[in-house]
Amino acid sequence: MSSKSSDITTSLSLGISEKKSSLFSVSTKLLFWMFFVAILVGVVFQQLRYLTEKALARPEIILTPSMTLNQIQEEIDKAKSGSIFLLKKGVYYGKLFFKDKQDILLQGEEGTRIETNGTVLQIHNCQNLHLKNLHLEGTDKNSEEGVISVSRGTDLYLHEIRCSGNMVGLTLLNIDKVQIQNCIFKELKGGVKINQCEKISFQGNKIESNQEFGISCKESELQLDNKNQIVRNEKYGLYAETSRLILEKNNRISENANGIFMDQCLNSKITANEISKNSNTGISLKKCSQIVLESNQISENSSDGVFSEDTALEMRINILTRNGRGLVLNGRESKITLLNNTLQDHLNYGIYIQKSAKNGVVNAEHLKSSNLFQNNNGRDVFVEE
């Protein structure tokens, strides 16, 4: 009996051992296949990711000075949305034309220059077009177009662009949302000419020594955001007609014939800028409405710091100093609010009110009590009789 029992026990033990061995073998195989499948899925995922990124990558087109103008234009004409044009260092000759393009970057290496007789870049009906790090020179003094000429479209970005020649640097017609940043418009017929545009923004630009104007703006919305220098332009630093202007944060408009000239503009605000050393008037306003001047330094303009004719004007916390006259008011439609301004060290008058403007101005004593007058040769406020 004991022998049979021993045999049965041995058989059971062997069976259990075989089952455990079988289960272990199955588990090992299962783990192996799971590991293999995980590796395979990972490889497939990485390959799909690579192919997806490759498909979504913006195509790069390399342009070199050795290419002909026709070759470069062909590359532009066939470019797809999202293309990046990289211009190698050197001088390119001829006019480039972008029409009906979307999401394009045109970027030059340091030392890239494009020049021609006339417009260098003509852009029509494009969206989200970026221009970066280019020196463009166009020569055609009789042309009404610019070195860069833009018509229609939306979302144009200019960064570190320099325009030179004897034309207007940049002309914008009927385009919305333009950002101009760290560009130079120097020694041209005019700097930037804007017509029928909205949301045109300037930041950190140098617009100087142009024959006619720094910026000319008609029927448009313009914003100078920060640290633009508009200096030594022979007629106007900034000329605006039937437009809305926002100038704020340390813009410098200096040493022009006339600093800012605004004709029939409305709902505009000029805040915290330097308007100085212009050979005629710092700020001229003609038939404007809802104009606010606040916290500006208006100084050393040879004729008048501010000349306002038939304009609804509010001035707060400005410093007007060492101008020919601080503030001149003219015209029957003049309406003026002055509060907490400083008017000092003027050669002639702190405030000069011409006879036609008397009805729109509170009395002289009120002006004196609500503003600070110093060293105006005894002529703080003068009212023509």
Side-chain angles (χ1 to χ4, degrees), residues 35 39 50 61 94 96 108 114 144 150 174 186 212 218 234 262-263 274 285-286 348 357:
F35 181 71
I39 292 175
Y50 169 77
I61 299 102
L96 302 180
I114 310 175
E144 294 299 316
V150 186
N174 197 16
K186 184 176 181 180
E212 295 185 6
K218 294 184 179 181
E234 294 185 16
M262 298 169 63
D263 184 5
E274 177 191 338
L285 306 169
K286 183 178 180 181
N348 294 313

Side-chain angles (χ1 to χ4, degrees), residues 253-308:
I253 301 175
S254 183
E255 302 176 66
N256 307 283
N258 296 279
I260 300 173
F261 185 92
M262 298 169 63
D263 184 5
Q264 301 177 71
C265 295
L266 72 161
N267 194 22
S268 299
K269 189 171 184 179
I270 301 174
T271 307
N273 304 284
E274 177 191 338
I275 298 107
S276 66
K277 300 180 181 178
N278 297 288
S279 58
N280 292 317
T281 301
I283 301 175
S284 295
L285 306 169
K286 183 178 180 181
K287 296 182 179 179
C288 299
S289 62
Q290 295 178 285
I291 306 299
V292 176
L293 307 182
E294 183 173 350
S295 302
N296 298 286
Q297 176 80 29
I298 305 171
S299 63
E300 300 181 70
N301 299 286
S302 298
S303 181
D304 304 319
V306 177
F307 181 92
S308 178

Side-chain angles (χ1 to χ4, degrees), residues 205-219:
N205 301 284
K206 294 182 179 179
I207 305 173
E208 60 181 293
S209 303
N210 297 295
Q211 294 175 10
E212 295 185 6
F213 54 83
I215 299 174
S216 173
C217 177
K218 294 184 179 181
E219 298 179 31

Side-chain angles (χ1 to χ4, degrees), residues 58 80-85 98 100-106 123-131 150 152-159 175-179:
R58 300 181 68 170
K80 297 179 180 179
S81 178
S83 294
I84 299 174
F85 289 94
F98 288 83
D100 300 327
K101 295 294 181 182
Q102 295 184 7
D103 194 20
I104 298 290
L105 169 63
L106 180 66
I123 300 165
H124 178 72
N125 197 35
C126 293
Q127 297 181 12
N128 198 28
L129 182 64
H130 294 243
L131 308 177
V150 186
R152 299 190 178 274
T154 184
D155 295 290
L156 172 67
Y157 301 88
L158 282 74
H159 298 271
I175 180 171
D176 298 338
K177 298 180 183 177
V178 179
Q179 184 181 97

Side-chain angles (χ1 to χ4, degrees), residues 106-368:
L106 180 66
Q107 179 173 343
E109 291 184 342
E110 194 66 34
T112 300
R113 181 186 180 99
I114 310 175
E115 58 184 59
T116 191
N117 294 323
T119 296
V120 177
L121 290 181
Q122 185 155 8
I123 300 165
H124 178 72
N125 197 35
C126 293
Q127 297 181 12
N128 198 28
L129 182 64
H130 294 243
L131 308 177
K132 186 173 182 180
N133 198 29
L134 299 167
H135 183 177
L136 310 175
E137 180 170 345
T139 52
D140 183 358
K141 65 181 180 180
N142 296 318
S143 176
E144 294 299 316
E145 294 189 337
V147 176
I148 305 172
S149 181
V150 186
S151 57
R152 299 190 178 274
T154 184
D155 295 290
L156 172 67
Y157 301 88
L158 282 74
H159 298 271
E160 299 173 349
I161 302 297
R162 176 165 184 164
C163 290
S164 59
N166 59 4
M167 306 170 64
V168 174
L170 169 65
T171 56
L172 301 172
L173 174 62
N174 197 16
I175 180 171
D176 298 338
K177 298 180 183 177
V178 179
Q179 184 181 97
I180 304 166
Q181 186 172 17
N182 297 333
C183 297
I184 298 174
F185 301 93
K186 184 176 181 180
E187 297 177 351
L188 294 145
K189 180 180 179 181
V192 181
K193 188 174 184 180
I194 304 163
N195 196 357
Q196 298 177 13
C197 299
E198 293 186 6
K199 298 181 180 178
I200 311 301
S201 171
F202 289 77
Q203 296 178 343
N205 301 284
K206 294 182 179 179
I207 305 173
E208 60 181 293
S209 303
N210 297 295
Q211 294 175 10
E212 295 185 6
F213 54 83
I215 299 174
S216 173
C217 177
K218 294 184 179 181
E219 298 179 31
S220 298
E221 181 184 317
L222 172 66
Q223 183 164 351
L224 274 70
D225 290 328
N226 193 14
K227 294 184 179 179
N228 296 283
Q229 295 188 46
I230 305 175
V231 298
R232 292 185 292 279
N233 298 286
E234 294 185 16
K235 293 185 179 179
Y236 299 98
L238 170 57
Y239 178 93
E241 185 178 326
T242 57
S243 296
R244 179 174 183 262
L245 307 184
I246 304 294
L247 281 73
E248 56 187 2
K249 298 180 182 176
N250 303 316
N251 298 291
R252 178 171 170 252
I253 301 175
S254 183
E255 302 176 66
N256 307 283
N258 296 279
I260 300 173
F261 185 92
M262 298 169 63
D263 184 5
Q264 301 177 71
C265 295
L266 72 161
N267 194 22
S268 299
K269 189 171 184 179
I270 301 174
T271 307
N273 304 284
E274 177 191 338
I275 298 107
S276 66
K277 300 180 181 178
N278 297 288
S279 58
N280 292 317
T281 301
I283 301 175
S284 295
L285 306 169
K286 183 178 180 181
K287 296 182 179 179
C288 299
S289 62
Q290 295 178 285
I291 306 299
V292 176
L293 307 182
E294 183 173 350
S295 302
N296 298 286
Q297 176 80 29
I298 305 171
S299 63
E300 300 181 70
N301 299 286
S302 298
S303 181
D304 304 319
V306 177
F307 181 92
S308 178
E309 179 180 351
D310 290 321
T311 290
L313 171 64
E314 182 176 348
M315 293 180 63
R316 300 189 298 261
I317 328 173
N318 300 280
I319 298 176
L320 291 81
T321 181
R322 298 188 300 279
N323 304 286
R325 296 179 292 187
L327 168 64
V328 178
L329 301 175
N330 182 34
R332 297 180 183 278
E333 302 300 320
S334 294
K335 295 180 181 179
I336 184 75
T337 300
L338 301 177
L339 185 63
N340 296 330
N341 300 282
T342 299
L343 299 99
Q344 64 183 29
D345 300 321
H346 291 102
L347 297 175
N348 294 313
Y349 299 94
I351 299 177
Y352 189 100
I353 303 171
Q354 297 186 355
K355 186 176 181 180
S356 60
K358 285 196 298 182
N359 292 336
V361 182
V362 295
N363 65 63
E365 290 305 316
H366 180 78
L367 291 178
K368 289 181 180 180

Side-chain angles (χ1 to χ4, degrees), residues 32-50:
F32 171 79
W33 282 109
M34 289 174 66
F35 181 71
F36 176 77
V37 169
I39 292 175
L40 183 62
V41 169
V43 170
V44 171
F45 176 78
Q46 290 294 333
Q47 187 66 19
L48 287 173
R49 181 180 176 183
Y50 169 77

